[in-house]
Amino acid sequence: MSGDILYFAYGSNMSTLRLRNRIAAQVIGTGLLPGYRLNFHKKWTCGSGKCDALHTGNVTDQVWGVVYAISPADIGTLDTIECKDIAYFRKTVDLTLSTGETCQPEIYVGRGEDLDPTALPFNWYKHHVQFGAEENDLPADYITRMIAPVPTITDPEPDRLQREFAIYPNQL
């Protein structure tokens, strides 16, 4: 996959089913981003909370996620999906893979003016995040502390729930 771009997913795109439903992507491995904290406080236009890797600079804060190789064309598609420069900024970060190797993937981080600590994710969104974390064998204590206890809200549009769960066999 020469010429591909590394992309670090820490939210719903950790689910390979979800990401591959959007773009072509090859899992490189899992990685740890130090000095950031996972939050579900990125308020989306539908009123729900989405994931954000908030830079804290605190060495005890860490975000786990999945590193993918994607094509340059697909990073443009992701820019559109993530509403680059409107909802999220894309930047390059220093990351350590679970193998101990280091890399510099692209990551999307929330714009400060759109962060709302009271925002809650829809149940289907949190499912993508938790499914991806479990599917990619992120540390169980991370899932237990940072993802599993996050409360959710019900999506007022049941058709969206059906569409989002359609990629998972036997989930409804």
Side-chain angles (χ1 to χ4, degrees):
M1 298 188 88
S2 178
D4 283 347
I5 295 170
L6 295 180
Y7 161 59
F8 180 66
Y10 57 85
S12 66
N13 284 336
M14 286 193 296
S15 165
T16 55
L17 290 171
R18 178 168 173 77
L19 187 60
R20 289 179 179 157
N21 193 49
R22 298 169 146 190
I23 62 170
Q26 177 183 345
V27 174
I28 299 300
T30 59
L32 182 63
L33 181 62
Y36 287 76
R37 184 178 62 240
L38 180 68
N39 290 298
F40 285 76
H41 65 191
K42 172 68 183 105
K43 190 138 189 181
W44 208 246
T45 56
C46 60
S48 70
K50 304 289 186 192
C51 283
D52 178 41
L54 180 69
H55 183 260
T56 65
N58 184 336
V59 294
T60 62
D61 289 331
Q62 301 173 331
V63 173
W64 279 92
V66 182
V67 177
Y68 294 96
I70 63 175
S71 74
D74 282 336
I75 196 73
T77 301
L78 268 183
D79 284 347
T80 300
I81 291 168
E82 301 295 341
C83 298
K84 179 182 171 274
D85 297 332
I86 298 168
Y88 286 94
F89 293 112
R90 178 166 47 94
K91 68 180 196 173
T92 306
V93 293
D94 294 316
L95 184 82
T96 303
L97 295 170
S98 57
T99 61
E101 297 172 83
T102 59
C103 62
Q104 293 185 309
E106 297 295 302
I107 184 176
Y108 294 91
V109 294
R111 290 169 33 108
E113 58 269 22
D114 299 327
L115 305 181
D116 179 353
T118 67
L120 296 174
F122 288 143
N123 52 356
W124 58 259
Y125 180 83
K126 181 182 166 188
H127 181 271
H128 288 316
V129 178
Q130 190 156 344
F131 183 92
E134 291 169 354
E135 165 193 29
N136 288 288
D137 296 320
L138 295 191
D141 70 312
Y142 179 79
I143 296 169
T144 301
R145 284 183 304 103
M146 303 304 294
I147 301 170
V150 174
T152 63
I153 56 176
T154 301
D155 191 335
E157 296 184 28
D159 290 346
R160 187 166 36 208
L161 172 73
Q162 295 285 344
R163 282 192 314 272
E164 292 294 336
F165 274 5
I167 63 173
Y168 301 104
N170 306 316
Q171 291 294 312
L172 291 177

